[in-house]
Amino acid sequence: MHSLAQKPGFTEQEFAMWEFKPFLKGDSGNESSAINEHSEWLIRMTQMIGIDYLEQLPPWHLLDVKRTASKSDVKARFRELSRSFHPDKLVTKNQSKKELYERIFVLLQNAYQGLKSANEKEKEEFRVQAETLSQLFAHLQYVVELLPFHWTRLNNSEEDDEEEGGGRYILNTASHLNSALTNVTVPEEESGLSVQVWVTFMYSARCGMSKTVVGFIDLAARHLEQHENIKVGAYGCGLYKDHPPKKSDPTGVLLDPICAQFARKETPNVHVIVE
């Protein structure tokens, strides 16, 4: 096996968390590879978690461009991704796959329409609105960005029924795999009772510490998944419209019922959950 340091164009640093490959503008081979990799990532995340996962992503993450990407960059990336997902370019008799690709294409198209605007004020308003739903861990390889629908509410008492958002929430990711659209079937021997240990990272997109440790969490998640069969998930407190942060609770850790049940007053905080 050849080390990265022996390959042309790579720079490797000992004990570094990442290796960086220089990207030369105009290198169509590298650009095409990046497009294919992102297309595969979109499909893989849909198969693992569901189309709802992509619907929660900020538009620039969907297109894999910078938040402040120019109109020409947004247009070029959308056209490249359209080659993979445009309904007219998909040749398949698999109706489920066709429906899935059509839904992904609609999401890409909506992201493109918002980011390509020539009116800077309108474009910034679109970005700010989307940013309120921005997840810090959405694009990482080993950490699963947990969304509200991954949690199932349990009512502990009659008072919980009357109190909006009351009760306790348990992690229930398995029930939300979108097998209907991804054509995924579960073998009979795997359909029985199983246990999965999760390390859950409760964060706030407004919290500086939460942003600082993103890379370290992904590094730890890689080790836990490969050596301990433990999954790592991250949930953004106060990111979602049903329980937005307020002046009295800017991080959402107290008002978001999923975060509030852990009785912590600040983010980030970490918990071990058995699903």
Side-chain angles (χ1 to χ4, degrees), residues 203-246:
Y203 74 90
S204 168
R206 297 184 175 188
C207 170
M209 180 60 71
S210 295
K211 296 177 181 179
T212 300
V213 299
V214 169
F216 297 100
I217 298 299
D218 196 41
L219 191 65
R222 176 183 178 182
H223 173 84
L224 290 174
E225 179 180 321
Q226 294 181 347
H227 301 287
E228 308 294 340
N229 194 30
I230 296 175
K231 291 185 178 181
V232 175
Y235 177 80
C237 302
L239 279 183
Y240 308 101
K241 61 182 180 180
D242 291 339
H243 304 283
K246 296 182 180 180

mmCIF file of all heavy atoms in Angstrom, residues 203-246:
data_model
loop_
_atom_site.group_PDB
_atom_site.id
_atom_site.type_symbol
_atom_site.label_atom_id
_atom_site.label_comp_id
_atom_site.label_asym_id
_atom_site.label_seq_id
_atom_site.Cartn_x
_atom_site.Cartn_y
_atom_site.Cartn_z
ATOM 1 N N TYR A 203 -25.992 19.947 20.642
ATOM 2 C CA TYR A 203 -25.245 21.172 20.367
ATOM 3 C C TYR A 203 -26.179 22.312 19.993
ATOM 4 O O TYR A 203 -27.387 22.136 19.802
ATOM 5 C CB TYR A 203 -24.238 20.933 19.234
ATOM 6 C CG TYR A 203 -24.884 20.833 17.862
ATOM 7 C CD1 TYR A 203 -25.064 21.961 17.077
ATOM 8 C CD2 TYR A 203 -25.312 19.609 17.357
ATOM 9 C CE1 TYR A 203 -25.654 21.875 15.818
ATOM 10 C CE2 TYR A 203 -25.902 19.516 16.107
ATOM 11 C CZ TYR A 203 -26.068 20.653 15.343
ATOM 12 O OH TYR A 203 -26.666 20.564 14.111
ATOM 13 N N SER A 204 -25.606 23.498 19.876
ATOM 14 C CA SER A 204 -26.325 24.660 19.357
ATOM 15 C C SER A 204 -25.497 25.287 18.252
ATOM 16 O O SER A 204 -24.274 25.458 18.395
ATOM 17 C CB SER A 204 -26.573 25.693 20.466
ATOM 18 O OG SER A 204 -27.026 26.921 19.907
ATOM 19 N N ALA A 205 -26.151 25.624 17.127
ATOM 20 C CA ALA A 205 -25.438 26.255 16.018
ATOM 21 C C ALA A 205 -24.942 27.640 16.401
ATOM 22 O O ALA A 205 -24.086 28.211 15.716
ATOM 23 C CB ALA A 205 -26.353 26.345 14.799
ATOM 24 N N ARG A 206 -25.467 28.195 17.498
ATOM 25 C CA ARG A 206 -25.047 29.516 17.968
ATOM 26 C C ARG A 206 -23.925 29.426 18.994
ATOM 27 O O ARG A 206 -23.431 30.442 19.468
ATOM 28 C CB ARG A 206 -26.240 30.246 18.594
ATOM 29 C CG ARG A 206 -27.366 30.530 17.609
ATOM 30 C CD ARG A 206 -28.458 31.337 18.276
ATOM 31 N NE ARG A 206 -29.490 31.732 17.340
ATOM 32 C CZ ARG A 206 -30.481 32.576 17.626
ATOM 33 N NH1 ARG A 206 -30.549 33.102 18.833
ATOM 34 N NH2 ARG A 206 -31.387 32.884 16.724
ATOM 35 N N CYS A 207 -23.549 28.221 19.352
ATOM 36 C CA CYS A 207 -22.550 28.005 20.403
ATOM 37 C C CYS A 207 -21.153 27.870 19.791
ATOM 38 O O CYS A 207 -20.914 27.002 18.955
ATOM 39 C CB CYS A 207 -22.915 26.758 21.206
ATOM 40 S SG CYS A 207 -21.651 26.202 22.347
ATOM 41 N N GLY A 208 -20.243 28.732 20.217
ATOM 42 C CA GLY A 208 -18.887 28.698 19.683
ATOM 43 C C GLY A 208 -18.166 27.401 19.985
ATOM 44 O O GLY A 208 -17.436 26.880 19.140
ATOM 45 N N MET A 209 -18.355 26.854 21.186
ATOM 46 C CA MET A 209 -17.700 25.602 21.543
ATOM 47 C C MET A 209 -18.219 24.458 20.675
ATOM 48 O O MET A 209 -17.454 23.578 20.259
ATOM 49 C CB MET A 209 -17.922 25.287 23.027
ATOM 50 C CG MET A 209 -17.275 23.985 23.488
ATOM 51 S SD MET A 209 -15.471 23.990 23.263
ATOM 52 C CE MET A 209 -14.997 25.155 24.540
ATOM 53 N N SER A 210 -19.519 24.454 20.406
ATOM 54 C CA SER A 210 -20.088 23.408 19.542
ATOM 55 C C SER A 210 -19.415 23.421 18.172
ATOM 56 O O SER A 210 -19.102 22.379 17.596
ATOM 57 C CB SER A 210 -21.601 23.612 19.389
ATOM 58 O OG SER A 210 -22.277 23.443 20.615
ATOM 59 N N LYS A 211 -19.202 24.617 17.627
ATOM 60 C CA LYS A 211 -18.576 24.737 16.313
ATOM 61 C C LYS A 211 -17.107 24.309 16.352
ATOM 62 O O LYS A 211 -16.602 23.705 15.409
ATOM 63 C CB LYS A 211 -18.671 26.178 15.817
ATOM 64 C CG LYS A 211 -20.091 26.665 15.578
ATOM 65 C CD LYS A 211 -20.097 28.127 15.149
ATOM 66 C CE LYS A 211 -21.524 28.632 14.935
ATOM 67 N NZ LYS A 211 -21.535 30.056 14.533
ATOM 68 N N THR A 212 -16.438 24.601 17.470
ATOM 69 C CA THR A 212 -14.997 24.322 17.577
ATOM 70 C C THR A 212 -14.687 22.832 17.556
ATOM 71 O O THR A 212 -13.685 22.411 16.983
ATOM 72 C CB THR A 212 -14.438 24.947 18.876
ATOM 73 O OG1 THR A 212 -14.656 26.361 18.853
ATOM 74 C CG2 THR A 212 -12.950 24.659 19.020
ATOM 75 N N VAL A 213 -15.554 22.021 18.149
ATOM 76 C CA VAL A 213 -15.222 20.604 18.344
ATOM 77 C C VAL A 213 -15.778 19.692 17.253
ATOM 78 O O VAL A 213 -15.675 18.469 17.364
ATOM 79 C CB VAL A 213 -15.725 20.115 19.720
ATOM 80 C CG1 VAL A 213 -15.065 20.898 20.840
ATOM 81 C CG2 VAL A 213 -17.240 20.219 19.825
ATOM 82 N N VAL A 214 -16.349 20.253 16.192
ATOM 83 C CA VAL A 214 -16.956 19.428 15.136
ATOM 84 C C VAL A 214 -15.976 18.401 14.583
ATOM 85 O O VAL A 214 -16.276 17.214 14.466
ATOM 86 C CB VAL A 214 -17.497 20.317 13.996
ATOM 87 C CG1 VAL A 214 -17.874 19.467 12.783
ATOM 88 C CG2 VAL A 214 -18.715 21.102 14.471
ATOM 89 N N GLY A 215 -14.772 18.835 14.234
ATOM 90 C CA GLY A 215 -13.771 17.929 13.673
ATOM 91 C C GLY A 215 -13.361 16.831 14.637
ATOM 92 O O GLY A 215 -13.171 15.675 14.232
ATOM 93 N N PHE A 216 -13.230 17.174 15.910
ATOM 94 C CA PHE A 216 -12.842 16.178 16.912
ATOM 95 C C PHE A 216 -13.944 15.133 17.120
ATOM 96 O O PHE A 216 -13.658 13.950 17.322
ATOM 97 C CB PHE A 216 -12.523 16.874 18.246
ATOM 98 C CG PHE A 216 -11.361 17.814 18.180
ATOM 99 C CD1 PHE A 216 -11.564 19.179 18.075
ATOM 100 C CD2 PHE A 216 -10.059 17.336 18.200
ATOM 101 C CE1 PHE A 216 -10.484 20.054 18.000
ATOM 102 C CE2 PHE A 216 -8.979 18.194 18.125
ATOM 103 C CZ PHE A 216 -9.190 19.561 18.026
ATOM 104 N N ILE A 217 -15.199 15.575 17.061
ATOM 105 C CA ILE A 217 -16.309 14.643 17.220
ATOM 106 C C ILE A 217 -16.324 13.642 16.068
ATOM 107 O O ILE A 217 -16.545 12.444 16.258
ATOM 108 C CB ILE A 217 -17.647 15.397 17.289
ATOM 109 C CG1 ILE A 217 -17.686 16.332 18.507
ATOM 110 C CG2 ILE A 217 -18.818 14.425 17.344
ATOM 111 C CD1 ILE A 217 -17.561 15.618 19.824
ATOM 112 N N ASP A 218 -16.081 14.117 14.858
ATOM 113 C CA ASP A 218 -16.061 13.219 13.697
ATOM 114 C C ASP A 218 -14.915 12.219 13.809
ATOM 115 O O ASP A 218 -15.051 11.046 13.457
ATOM 116 C CB ASP A 218 -15.929 14.033 12.409
ATOM 117 C CG ASP A 218 -16.288 13.211 11.173
ATOM 118 O OD1 ASP A 218 -17.259 12.440 11.227
ATOM 119 O OD2 ASP A 218 -15.595 13.358 10.142
ATOM 120 N N LEU A 219 -13.776 12.663 14.315
ATOM 121 C CA LEU A 219 -12.623 11.782 14.496
ATOM 122 C C LEU A 219 -12.934 10.699 15.528
ATOM 123 O O LEU A 219 -12.632 9.513 15.329
ATOM 124 C CB LEU A 219 -11.408 12.602 14.939
ATOM 125 C CG LEU A 219 -10.056 11.895 14.939
ATOM 126 C CD1 LEU A 219 -9.647 11.509 13.534
ATOM 127 C CD2 LEU A 219 -8.992 12.798 15.561
ATOM 128 N N ALA A 220 -13.567 11.093 16.642
ATOM 129 C CA ALA A 220 -13.945 10.122 17.669
ATOM 130 C C ALA A 220 -15.006 9.156 17.145
ATOM 131 O O ALA A 220 -14.983 7.961 17.447
ATOM 132 C CB ALA A 220 -14.458 10.855 18.901
ATOM 133 N N ALA A 221 -15.932 9.682 16.335
ATOM 134 C CA ALA A 221 -17.003 8.843 15.785
ATOM 135 C C ALA A 221 -16.440 7.761 14.875
ATOM 136 O O ALA A 221 -16.939 6.633 14.847
ATOM 137 C CB ALA A 221 -17.999 9.710 15.015
ATOM 138 N N ARG A 222 -15.399 8.083 14.143
ATOM 139 C CA ARG A 222 -14.766 7.099 13.264
ATOM 140 C C ARG A 222 -14.223 5.930 14.081
ATOM 141 O O ARG A 222 -14.421 4.761 13.723
ATOM 142 C CB ARG A 222 -13.645 7.761 12.468
ATOM 143 C CG ARG A 222 -12.867 6.789 11.588
ATOM 144 C CD ARG A 222 -11.724 7.493 10.897
ATOM 145 N NE ARG A 222 -10.949 6.560 10.080
ATOM 146 C CZ ARG A 222 -9.859 6.897 9.379
ATOM 147 N NH1 ARG A 222 -9.416 8.136 9.390
ATOM 148 N NH2 ARG A 222 -9.218 5.992 8.680
ATOM 149 N N HIS A 223 -13.548 6.241 15.179
ATOM 150 C CA HIS A 223 -12.973 5.179 16.020
ATOM 151 C C HIS A 223 -14.074 4.337 16.657
ATOM 152 O O HIS A 223 -14.011 3.099 16.650
ATOM 153 C CB HIS A 223 -12.107 5.803 17.112
ATOM 154 C CG HIS A 223 -11.610 4.803 18.124
ATOM 155 N ND1 HIS A 223 -10.478 4.047 17.921
ATOM 156 C CD2 HIS A 223 -12.125 4.414 19.330
ATOM 157 C CE1 HIS A 223 -10.301 3.248 18.954
ATOM 158 N NE2 HIS A 223 -11.287 3.447 19.824
ATOM 159 N N LEU A 224 -15.104 4.992 17.194
ATOM 160 C CA LEU A 224 -16.174 4.264 17.876
ATOM 161 C C LEU A 224 -16.934 3.347 16.921
ATOM 162 O O LEU A 224 -17.319 2.235 17.287
ATOM 163 C CB LEU A 224 -17.137 5.255 18.526
ATOM 164 C CG LEU A 224 -16.587 6.033 19.727
ATOM 165 C CD1 LEU A 224 -17.579 7.090 20.178
ATOM 166 C CD2 LEU A 224 -16.263 5.085 20.877
ATOM 167 N N GLU A 225 -17.140 3.806 15.692
ATOM 168 C CA GLU A 225 -17.867 2.993 14.724
ATOM 169 C C GLU A 225 -17.046 1.795 14.271
ATOM 170 O O GLU A 225 -17.554 0.674 14.159
ATOM 171 C CB GLU A 225 -18.252 3.843 13.522
ATOM 172 C CG GLU A 225 -19.004 3.069 12.436
ATOM 173 C CD GLU A 225 -19.377 3.938 11.252
ATOM 174 O OE1 GLU A 225 -19.746 5.097 11.466
ATOM 175 O OE2 GLU A 225 -19.281 3.453 10.106
ATOM 176 N N GLN A 226 -15.763 2.020 14.009
ATOM 177 C CA GLN A 226 -14.909 0.966 13.457
ATOM 178 C C GLN A 226 -14.468 -0.053 14.494
ATOM 179 O O GLN A 226 -14.292 -1.227 14.169
ATOM 180 C CB GLN A 226 -13.688 1.598 12.782
ATOM 181 C CG GLN A 226 -14.030 2.419 11.544
ATOM 182 C CD GLN A 226 -12.785 3.014 10.892
ATOM 183 O OE1 GLN A 226 -11.702 3.020 11.478
ATOM 184 N NE2 GLN A 226 -12.943 3.524 9.685
ATOM 185 N N HIS A 227 -14.303 0.371 15.740
ATOM 186 C CA HIS A 227 -13.725 -0.522 16.747
ATOM 187 C C HIS A 227 -14.690 -0.929 17.854
ATOM 188 O O HIS A 227 -14.477 -1.945 18.511
ATOM 189 C CB HIS A 227 -12.493 0.137 17.381
ATOM 190 C CG HIS A 227 -11.418 0.471 16.386
ATOM 191 N ND1 HIS A 227 -10.616 -0.488 15.794
ATOM 192 C CD2 HIS A 227 -11.029 1.666 15.853
ATOM 193 C CE1 HIS A 227 -9.773 0.094 14.959
ATOM 194 N NE2 HIS A 227 -10.006 1.397 14.979
ATOM 195 N N GLU A 228 -15.740 -0.158 18.079
ATOM 196 C CA GLU A 228 -16.636 -0.448 19.194
ATOM 197 C C GLU A 228 -18.072 -0.689 18.752
ATOM 198 O O GLU A 228 -18.930 -0.994 19.578
ATOM 199 C CB GLU A 228 -16.606 0.713 20.212
ATOM 200 C CG GLU A 228 -15.219 1.128 20.671
ATOM 201 C CD GLU A 228 -14.523 0.049 21.476
ATOM 202 O OE1 GLU A 228 -15.228 -0.847 21.992
ATOM 203 O OE2 GLU A 228 -13.286 0.092 21.602
ATOM 204 N N ASN A 229 -18.358 -0.519 17.481
ATOM 205 C CA ASN A 229 -19.727 -0.644 16.951
ATOM 206 C C ASN A 229 -20.692 0.302 17.669
ATOM 207 O O ASN A 229 -21.839 -0.037 17.950
ATOM 208 C CB ASN A 229 -20.234 -2.084 17.055
ATOM 209 C CG ASN A 229 -21.485 -2.316 16.220
ATOM 210 O OD1 ASN A 229 -21.683 -1.668 15.183
ATOM 211 N ND2 ASN A 229 -22.346 -3.211 16.660
ATOM 212 N N ILE A 230 -20.198 1.479 17.978
ATOM 213 C CA ILE A 230 -21.009 2.516 18.616
ATOM 214 C C ILE A 230 -21.206 3.649 17.612
ATOM 215 O O ILE A 230 -20.248 4.118 16.996
ATOM 216 C CB ILE A 230 -20.326 3.052 19.886
ATOM 217 C CG1 ILE A 230 -20.213 1.933 20.930
ATOM 218 C CG2 ILE A 230 -21.078 4.250 20.453
ATOM 219 C CD1 ILE A 230 -19.436 2.332 22.170
ATOM 220 N N LYS A 231 -22.450 4.077 17.461
ATOM 221 C CA LYS A 231 -22.738 5.176 16.546
ATOM 222 C C LYS A 231 -22.729 6.508 17.293
ATOM 223 O O LYS A 231 -23.053 6.572 18.478
ATOM 224 C CB LYS A 231 -24.098 4.981 15.876
ATOM 225 C CG LYS A 231 -24.141 3.819 14.888
ATOM 226 C CD LYS A 231 -25.484 3.759 14.173
ATOM 227 C CE LYS A 231 -25.508 2.637 13.150
ATOM 228 N NZ LYS A 231 -26.802 2.581 12.413
ATOM 229 N N VAL A 232 -22.369 7.550 16.565
ATOM 230 C CA VAL A 232 -22.365 8.893 17.144
ATOM 231 C C VAL A 232 -23.359 9.755 16.375
ATOM 232 O O VAL A 232 -23.334 9.806 15.140
ATOM 233 C CB VAL A 232 -20.960 9.532 17.074
ATOM 234 C CG1 VAL A 232 -21.006 10.976 17.573
ATOM 235 C CG2 VAL A 232 -19.969 8.716 17.903
ATOM 236 N N GLY A 233 -24.248 10.384 17.107
ATOM 237 C CA GLY A 233 -25.231 11.264 16.504
ATOM 238 C C GLY A 233 -25.155 12.646 17.125
ATOM 239 O O GLY A 233 -24.709 12.810 18.265
ATOM 240 N N ALA A 234 -25.575 13.655 16.369
ATOM 241 C CA ALA A 234 -25.578 15.031 16.858
ATOM 242 C C ALA A 234 -26.946 15.646 16.605
ATOM 243 O O ALA A 234 -27.513 15.503 15.522
ATOM 244 C CB ALA A 234 -24.493 15.845 16.162
ATOM 245 N N TYR A 235 -27.475 16.314 17.604
ATOM 246 C CA TYR A 235 -28.785 16.959 17.469
ATOM 247 C C TYR A 235 -28.648 18.437 17.809
ATOM 248 O O TYR A 235 -28.085 18.805 18.840
ATOM 249 C CB TYR A 235 -29.813 16.307 18.395
ATOM 250 C CG TYR A 235 -31.167 16.974 18.340
ATOM 251 C CD1 TYR A 235 -32.060 16.694 17.306
ATOM 252 C CD2 TYR A 235 -31.549 17.915 19.303
ATOM 253 C CE1 TYR A 235 -33.298 17.324 17.243
ATOM 254 C CE2 TYR A 235 -32.784 18.548 19.244
ATOM 255 C CZ TYR A 235 -33.652 18.247 18.207
ATOM 256 O OH TYR A 235 -34.863 18.870 18.131
ATOM 257 N N GLY A 236 -29.170 19.304 16.945
ATOM 258 C CA GLY A 236 -29.090 20.742 17.134
ATOM 259 C C GLY A 236 -30.256 21.277 17.948
ATOM 260 O O GLY A 236 -31.398 21.271 17.490
ATOM 261 N N CYS A 237 -29.974 21.753 19.127
ATOM 262 C CA CYS A 237 -31.023 22.308 19.981
ATOM 263 C C CYS A 237 -31.525 23.636 19.410
ATOM 264 O O CYS A 237 -30.733 24.501 19.035
ATOM 265 C CB CYS A 237 -30.488 22.546 21.396
ATOM 266 S SG CYS A 237 -29.821 21.068 22.203
ATOM 267 N N GLY A 238 -32.843 23.782 19.335
ATOM 268 C CA GLY A 238 -33.430 25.037 18.891
ATOM 269 C C GLY A 238 -33.301 25.334 17.412
ATOM 270 O O GLY A 238 -33.537 26.463 16.988
ATOM 271 N N LEU A 239 -32.965 24.333 16.600
ATOM 272 C CA LEU A 239 -32.788 24.571 15.166
ATOM 273 C C LEU A 239 -34.096 24.500 14.390
ATOM 274 O O LEU A 239 -34.154 24.957 13.251
ATOM 275 C CB LEU A 239 -31.825 23.535 14.567
ATOM 276 C CG LEU A 239 -30.338 23.779 14.743
ATOM 277 C CD1 LEU A 239 -29.543 22.696 14.016
ATOM 278 C CD2 LEU A 239 -29.934 25.146 14.217
ATOM 279 N N TYR A 240 -35.124 23.954 14.982
ATOM 280 C CA TYR A 240 -36.317 23.626 14.217
ATOM 281 C C TYR A 240 -37.504 24.482 14.625
ATOM 282 O O TYR A 240 -37.629 24.907 15.781
ATOM 283 C CB TYR A 240 -36.609 22.130 14.338
ATOM 284 C CG TYR A 240 -35.376 21.343 13.980
ATOM 285 C CD1 TYR A 240 -34.550 20.791 14.965
ATOM 286 C CD2 TYR A 240 -34.969 21.236 12.652
ATOM 287 C CE1 TYR A 240 -33.384 20.123 14.633
ATOM 288 C CE2 TYR A 240 -33.816 20.573 12.319
ATOM 289 C CZ TYR A 240 -33.019 20.026 13.300
ATOM 290 O OH TYR A 240 -31.858 19.386 12.971
ATOM 291 N N LYS A 241 -38.376 24.743 13.655
ATOM 292 C CA LYS A 241 -39.405 25.770 13.786
ATOM 293 C C LYS A 241 -40.402 25.517 14.914
ATOM 294 O O LYS A 241 -40.988 26.464 15.445
ATOM 295 C CB LYS A 241 -40.161 25.912 12.470
ATOM 296 C CG LYS A 241 -40.880 24.634 12.014
ATOM 297 C CD LYS A 241 -41.563 24.855 10.674
ATOM 298 C CE LYS A 241 -42.282 23.591 10.217
ATOM 299 N NZ LYS A 241 -42.951 23.786 8.908
ATOM 300 N N ASP A 242 -40.615 24.262 15.297
ATOM 301 C CA ASP A 242 -41.587 23.967 16.360
ATOM 302 C C ASP A 242 -41.128 24.477 17.726
ATOM 303 O O ASP A 242 -41.948 24.808 18.578
ATOM 304 C CB ASP A 242 -41.845 22.461 16.444
ATOM 305 C CG ASP A 242 -42.607 21.956 15.228
ATOM 306 O OD1 ASP A 242 -43.263 22.782 14.561
ATOM 307 O OD2 ASP A 242 -42.525 20.748 14.933
ATOM 308 N N HIS A 243 -39.802 24.537 17.931
ATOM 309 C CA HIS A 243 -39.268 24.985 19.220
ATOM 310 C C HIS A 243 -38.043 25.878 18.982
ATOM 311 O O HIS A 243 -36.925 25.515 19.323
ATOM 312 C CB HIS A 243 -38.897 23.789 20.102
ATOM 313 C CG HIS A 243 -40.036 22.850 20.330
ATOM 314 N ND1 HIS A 243 -41.059 23.119 21.205
ATOM 315 C CD2 HIS A 243 -40.335 21.651 19.761
ATOM 316 C CE1 HIS A 243 -41.927 22.131 21.189
ATOM 317 N NE2 HIS A 243 -41.516 21.227 20.327
ATOM 318 N N PRO A 244 -38.244 27.061 18.408
ATOM 319 C CA PRO A 244 -37.113 27.947 18.103
ATOM 320 C C PRO A 244 -36.527 28.574 19.370
ATOM 321 O O PRO A 244 -37.224 28.679 20.392
ATOM 322 C CB PRO A 244 -37.749 29.018 17.219
ATOM 323 C CG PRO A 244 -39.166 29.078 17.689
ATOM 324 C CD PRO A 244 -39.533 27.661 18.037
ATOM 325 N N PRO A 245 -35.271 29.003 19.329
ATOM 326 C CA PRO A 245 -34.676 29.665 20.493
ATOM 327 C C PRO A 245 -35.316 31.033 20.726
ATOM 328 O O PRO A 245 -35.845 31.648 19.800
ATOM 329 C CB PRO A 245 -33.193 29.798 20.096
ATOM 330 C CG PRO A 245 -33.203 29.790 18.604
ATOM 331 C CD PRO A 245 -34.333 28.881 18.209
ATOM 332 N N LYS A 246 -35.275 31.487 21.960
ATOM 333 C CA LYS A 246 -35.808 32.803 22.308
ATOM 334 C C LYS A 246 -34.745 33.589 23.062
ATOM 335 O O LYS A 246 -33.676 33.069 23.376
ATOM 336 C CB LYS A 246 -37.077 32.650 23.151
ATOM 337 C CG LYS A 246 -38.230 31.968 22.417
ATOM 338 C CD LYS A 246 -39.472 31.889 23.287
ATOM 339 C CE LYS A 246 -40.618 31.212 22.537
ATOM 340 N NZ LYS A 246 -41.841 31.115 23.377
#
